[in-house]
C-alpha cells in the first residue's frame, strides 16, 4: 500500500482476503473488528479503518492462519436465532444440532398444549446452544430449564450465554455443574417433561477432522471405546427422571441408531424413533416414556 493511500475497511478486506485466500471469512473478520453491521457494510466500507481494529484484525488473522477454527477466532457463532459466545472451552455449535433443538421444541410444544409450565433438562449443555434456543423459542414462563454440564469451564460459558438472553426467557433457566442426572435435585425425579442431550458420542478409535481433533474439547466429543458409553448412562436414567409420557431427545452418530434404540427398549421406553439430518444420516433419537408408570423397570 502507498503511504498516501487511506487504509479503508475495503482495503483491509482485500488484504485479509489475500492472506486467508477466501473473501467470506475475511469479511466476517473485518466485520468483527470494524463493528460494521448489515447495511453499513455497503455504506461505510470506504471509511478509514481505526488503528485499533487494524491491530486486532492482524491478531485474528494470525490465529486463523495457525489453524484455529474461525468460530473460536471470532469468539461467537450463530445457532438458530441466537448468537452464542464460543471458545475452546466448548464445542462449536453444529448445524445438525439445530435439528436436535427443533425436535425438542416440537415435543415441548405438544406437552405445553396439555400442561404449563413444563420442565426440560439439557444434559451436556456446553455453550448452552440447545437449552437457550429451546427456552427462547417457547413462550416465556412456560418452561423451567435445567442446563447441566460436568465441566466447570463449559458451565462458565453457558452462564455467559444465558446473560445474553432476555430476562423474560432467561429467568427460568438454571445452569448446574455435575454428571448427567446426578446434578439435578431429587424432587425432579419422574417430573421432567423433556430431556434433551447432545452427549459425546465419538468412539476412541474413530478419526475426527484434524481441526476438530486439535482445537475442540475432547471431553465433549469422545465417549469411550464404543462411543455409546454416555447413552448407556443417560437412556436408563432418563426412563427414571421423565414423567409418564415424557420424551427423551438425543443427538447421535450416523451408525448409532440401532444400538441406542435397543438401550431404550430395554429401559422400557414405549415409542422409539430415529430421525435423519439434512444429509440423510441418522442424527436424532426420540423415545417416549409410557403414560402408565407400571411398565417402566425401576432400578
Ligand atoms: N457431530 C460431532 C462431530 O462429529 C460430534 C458431537 C458430539 O460428540 N456430540 O464432530
Amino acid at each position: 500500500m502507498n503511504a498516501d493511500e487511506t487504509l479503508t475497511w475495503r482495503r483491509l478486506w482485500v488484504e485479509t482476503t489475500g492472506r486467508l485466500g477466501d473473501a467470506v471469512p475475511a469479511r466476517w473478520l473485518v466485520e468483527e473488528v470494524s463493528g460494521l453491521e448489515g447495511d453499513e457494510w455497503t455504506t461505510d466500507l470506504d471509511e478509514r479503518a481505526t488503528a485499533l481494529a487494524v491491530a486486532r484484525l492482524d491478531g485474528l488473522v494470525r490465529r486463523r492462519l495457525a489453524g484455529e477454527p474461525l468460530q473460536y477466532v471470532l469468539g461467537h457463532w450463530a445457532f438458530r436465532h441466537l448468537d452464542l459466545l464460543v471458545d475452546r472451552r466448548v464445542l462449536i455449535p453444529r448445524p445438525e444440532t439445530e435439528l436436535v433443538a427443533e425436535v425438542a421444541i416440537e415435543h415441548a410444544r405438544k406437552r405445553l398444549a396439555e400442561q404449563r409450565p413444563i420442565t426440560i433438562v439439557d444434559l451436556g449443555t456446553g455453550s448452552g446452544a440447545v437449552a437457550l434456543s429451546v427456552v427462547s423459542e417457547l413462550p416465556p414462563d412456560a418452561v423451567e430449564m435445567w442446563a447441566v454440564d460436568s465441566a466447570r469451564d463449559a458451565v462458565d460459558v453457558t452462564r455467559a450465554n444465558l446473560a445474553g438472553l432476555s430476562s423474560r426467557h432467561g429467568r427460568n433457566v438454571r445452569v448446574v455443574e455435575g454428571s448427567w442426572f446426578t446434578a439435578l435435585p431429587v424432587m425432579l425425579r419422574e417430573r421432567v417433561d423433556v430431556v434433551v442431550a447432545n452427549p459425546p458420542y465419538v468412539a476412541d478409535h474413530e478419526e475426527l477432522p484434524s481441526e476438530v481433533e486439535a482445537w475442540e474439547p475432547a471431553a465433549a466429543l469422545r465417549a469411550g471405546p464404543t462411543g455409546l458409553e454416555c447413552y448407556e448412562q443417560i437412556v436408563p436414567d432418563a426412563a427414571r427422571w421423565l414423567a409418564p409420557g415424557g420424551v427423551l431427545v438425543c443427538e447421535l452418530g450416523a451408525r448409532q441408531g440401532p444400538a441406542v434404540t435397543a438401550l431404550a427398549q430395554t429401559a422400557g421406553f414405549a415409542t422409539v424413533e430415529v430421525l435423519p439430518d439434512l444429509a440423510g444420516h441418522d442424527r436424532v433419537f426420540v423415545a417416549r416414556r409410557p403414560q402408565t408408570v407400571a411398565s417402566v423397570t425401576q432400578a
Side-chain angles (χ1 to χ4, degrees):
M1 190 183 74
N2 298 328
D4 57 341
E5 268 184 80
T6 308
L7 182 56
T8 61
W9 299 119
R10 187 188 301 278
R11 283 195 63 88
L12 217 47
W13 180 26
V14 170
E15 259 180 48
T16 306
T17 300
R19 289 175 76 186
L20 295 179
D22 191 342
V24 177
R27 173 173 170 171
W28 289 340
L29 290 174
V30 175
E31 279 178 336
E32 184 63 32
V33 299
S34 64
L36 296 182
E37 279 183 320
D39 286 351
E40 291 165 358
W41 184 257
T42 27
T43 57
D44 299 355
L45 203 53
D46 291 309
E47 291 197 356
R48 183 192 290 270
T50 63
L52 188 63
V54 174
R56 214 182 134 219
L57 180 66
D58 184 56
L60 299 185
V61 172
R62 282 171 196 268
R63 283 168 61 190
R64 181 67 195 119
L65 290 173
E68 187 169 348
L70 183 67
Q71 294 90 335
Y72 289 157
V73 173
L74 287 167
H76 59 104
W77 198 245
F79 184 85
R80 295 183 66 87
H81 302 289
L82 302 177
D83 184 28
L84 297 164
L85 301 168
V86 289
D87 60 30
R88 290 191 73 178
R89 292 175 292 177
V90 293
L91 212 62
I92 295 165
R94 287 159 165 68
E96 57 270 27
T97 308
E98 295 187 325
L99 178 64
V100 178
E102 187 172 315
V103 173
I105 291 166
E106 206 177 284
H107 284 280
R109 284 218 175 94
K110 284 190 200 148
R111 204 78 183 158
L112 281 169
E114 296 154 22
Q115 68 173 83
R116 190 179 277 225
I118 60 168
T119 302
I120 306 182
V121 172
D122 176 24
L123 299 176
T125 196
S127 61
V130 172
L132 302 180
S133 291
V134 170
V135 280
S136 64
E137 293 182 49
L138 290 170
D141 296 326
V143 175
E144 183 183 295
M145 172 65 75
W146 293 79
V148 178
D149 207 290
S150 62
R152 174 79 226 170
D153 270 358
V155 163
D156 289 342
V157 179
T158 318
R159 291 203 169 118
N161 279 316
L162 172 59
L165 228 58
S166 75
S167 72
R168 57 195 201 111
H169 282 112
R171 67 187 165 214
N172 298 317
V173 180
R174 279 161 196 79
V175 184
V176 285
E177 183 184 344
S179 173
W180 310 132
F181 291 97
T182 62
L184 300 173
V186 286
M187 55 124 184
L188 289 182
R189 255 185 119 109
E190 296 227 37
R191 295 197 35 209
V192 180
D193 296 286
V194 179
V195 172
V196 60
N198 174 20
Y201 56 71
V202 180
D204 290 344
H205 65 270
E206 268 179 90
E207 260 188 54
L208 284 166
S210 56
E211 201 169 283
V212 173
E213 188 79 75
W215 293 91
E216 297 195 64
L221 289 159
R222 297 214 176 263
T226 67
L228 294 167
E229 288 79 358
C230 298
Y231 304 116
E232 284 162 1
Q233 295 179 36
I234 292 170
V235 175
D237 276 351
R240 295 187 269 272
W241 286 79
L242 283 167
V247 175
L248 168 66
V249 179
C250 283
E251 178 166 324
L252 37 73
R255 285 176 300 279
Q256 294 174 321
V260 182
T261 299
L263 281 173
Q265 283 161 348
T266 307
F269 278 96
T271 53
V272 179
E273 233 187 324
V274 177
L275 310 170
D277 61 19
L278 291 174
H281 300 126
D282 282 356
R283 188 62 61 197
V284 192
F285 169 82
V286 185
R288 181 183 300 277
R289 208 190 145 192
Q291 286 292 351
T292 46
V293 185
S295 52
V296 179
T297 332
Q298 293 286 338

